Amino acid sequence: MSSPAGPAGFRTASVTGWGRTAPTTARLVRPGSYEEAAAAVRECGPRGGIARGLGRAYGDAAQNAGGAVWDMTGLDRVRAIDAEAGVVVCDAGVSLHRLMEVLLPLGWFVPVTPGTRYVTVGGAIGADIHGKNHHVSGSFARHVRSFELLTADGGVRTVRPGTDLFDATTGGMGLTGVILAATVRLVPVRTSLMTVDTERAADLDDLLARLSAGDHRYRYSVAWVDLLARGAATGRAVLTRGDHAPPEALHARARRAPLAFRPRRLPPAPRGLPEGLVGRRSVGLFNACWYRKAPRRRTGELQKISTFFHPLDGVPHWNRVYGRGGFVQYQFVVGHGEEATLRHVVERVAARGCPSFLAVLKRFGAGGSGWLSFPAAGWTLALDIPAGLPGLGAFLDELDEAVAAAGGRVYLAKDARLRPELVDAMYPRADAFRALRARLDPRGVFTSDLSRRLAL
């Protein structure tokens, strides 16, 4: 819901995250230049403002009740490509989808991509996104040479790795300033296809053993987990791993255009789907069928990049499947040696009967330098749960306590309900982050629903 644009070039809009929970109303402004972005920051008003990209943060990180939200997708220029060195300079509002369109024909790929390519470069830095290759390549910030940051005083700073401002901004959820542009290193590829190996794991122990023993042989690795399976099958999973295909692996027809990028797109999910469509019975049936139809072991399958990395992007507005009540995505990480905590969460989710058909587990490599960056060496599990599930808040609070006690953390880019007293336990550099913000932004210009909720 929104009203017509006002005289100052903004419109009042109801804004929500991808999970479609807890909408709040803000003044939505779409700058078309760096100068307009600076003016928007100066004129944000007493409730401050927060930058927003394509709205794929699941919770309230890009919302600002009663204040300003700056839609950065108007800054969408790819400014320069060094096709020899594999470096791109682009505006922060450029999407990873657009980069793939431009870079794949030149033999380059983005260094890190999450489960959707419809995120902006600014959002990728602000959330320090991770992907299936974290155990090899780390998170997005590792591949950023520099970025231009519009700060609360109206100045623009060039920020580079190895500085406090870089570490506060990468993973800082937009609370240190507005990212205007970035310089990013790329990954060389020779085709736009992937060679993929798939296998089934009988239970959680089997899955963790397979990941530990074999991940070093693959650039990309992810497991779909059946979180409704119980008993001996608890944590059963389908493990998918792969790498960029060499030209010799392609069929003759594909060799004619080995770097073609043609994602498949299906009709969008309809509006007004009934509540309860995603329930324990329907998801249980889906999960059982998905697991059984997966091959026990298949090697060398060729898949499009879009199929391997972003299968849900083929269904626009797939988040509508959960109905008007929306959904919560809960993602946490615990370190190596804390497998008992991971097992506890999986068993509790299964016992609770949480209807989650989008549940993925990955093995993280070493974490980065970002003070609020999510990844840390260990295991990360992400699951979607309908927001209307009775008792969900108390149940997730219980899981939070177990994760925090194990030295783990939840992902702020997907969070919508974490209690503020757990932030410092999960993110030991949170106080340093607050102190830097106080120095850099004493008036609290950069503010979001998340920052108020978590006292960041």
Side-chain angles (χ1 to χ4, degrees), residues 240-325:
T240 307
R241 296 182 284 198
D243 208 334
H244 298 281
E248 57 269 22
L250 273 57
H251 305 300
R253 184 175 180 181
R255 290 182 187 178
R256 299 172 191 164
L259 291 166
F261 180 58
R262 303 187 186 99
R264 186 182 181 188
R265 195 170 176 87
L266 299 173
R271 296 178 182 272
L273 288 171
E275 301 296 324
L277 183 66
V278 179
R280 182 174 181 177
R281 182 174 298 180
S282 60
V283 173
L285 179 61
F286 171 87
N287 286 4
C289 293
W290 190 262
Y291 179 78
R292 288 177 183 138
K293 84 175 188 65
R296 291 187 181 276
R297 181 166 180 79
R298 179 175 61 203
T299 61
E301 180 190 13
L302 289 175
Q303 292 184 6
K304 291 183 177 181
I305 273 177
S306 55
T307 301
F308 181 77
F309 288 107
H310 316 116
L312 289 175
D313 281 349
V315 184
H317 305 294
W318 63 263
N319 55 343
R320 294 175 183 168
V321 170
Y322 290 88
R324 291 183 180 179

Side-chain angles (χ1 to χ4, degrees), residues 185-251:
R185 292 187 299 269
L186 306 169
V187 173
V189 296
R190 295 189 289 162
T191 75
S192 60
L193 295 176
M194 307 292 296
T195 54
V196 181
D197 295 350
T198 304
E199 57 190 291
R200 291 195 309 210
D203 55 33
L204 184 62
D205 288 339
D206 184 27
L207 173 61
L208 299 185
R210 289 171 187 260
L211 285 165
S212 297
D215 262 11
H216 65 280
R217 299 195 299 269
Y218 298 89
R219 182 187 293 269
Y220 304 100
S221 175
V222 68
W224 168 88
V225 184
D226 180 1
L227 290 180
L228 285 177
R230 299 175 66 178
T234 299
R236 68 182 180 183
V238 179
L239 176 56
T240 307
R241 296 182 284 198
D243 208 334
H244 298 281
E248 57 269 22
L250 273 57
H251 305 300

Side-chain angles (χ1 to χ4, degrees), residues 422-452:
L422 291 178
V423 171
D424 289 77
M426 293 181 171
Y427 290 91
R429 300 300 304 274
D431 265 347
F433 179 81
R434 294 186 187 99
L436 182 142
R437 281 198 70 207
R439 295 194 306 272
L440 196 66
D441 183 11
R443 296 184 295 115
V445 169
F446 302 112
T447 307
S448 67
D449 290 353
L450 179 142
S451 73
R452 281 188 288 266

Side-chain angles (χ1 to χ4, degrees), residues 44 58 72 119 137 161 171 223 244 326 352 379:
C44 65
Y58 283 73
M72 301 304 294
V119 297
S137 302
H244 298 281
R352 180 71 169 72
W379 307 100

Side-chain angles (χ1 to χ4, degrees), residues 10 39 50 77 88 110 117 124 132 136-137 209 240 268 318 325 397 449:
F10 65 85
I50 193 72
R77 287 177 293 177
V88 64
V110 295
R117 60 187 179 273
K132 297 178 174 72
V136 173
S137 302
T240 307
W318 63 263
D397 285 347
D449 290 353

Side-chain angles (χ1 to χ4, degrees), residues 123-130 139-142 170-172 368-370 373-375 411:
I125 295 170
D128 197 14
I129 60 170
H130 58 271
S139 53
F140 197 86
R142 183 185 295 184
T170 53
S369 61
S373 183
F374 169 68
Y411 192 12

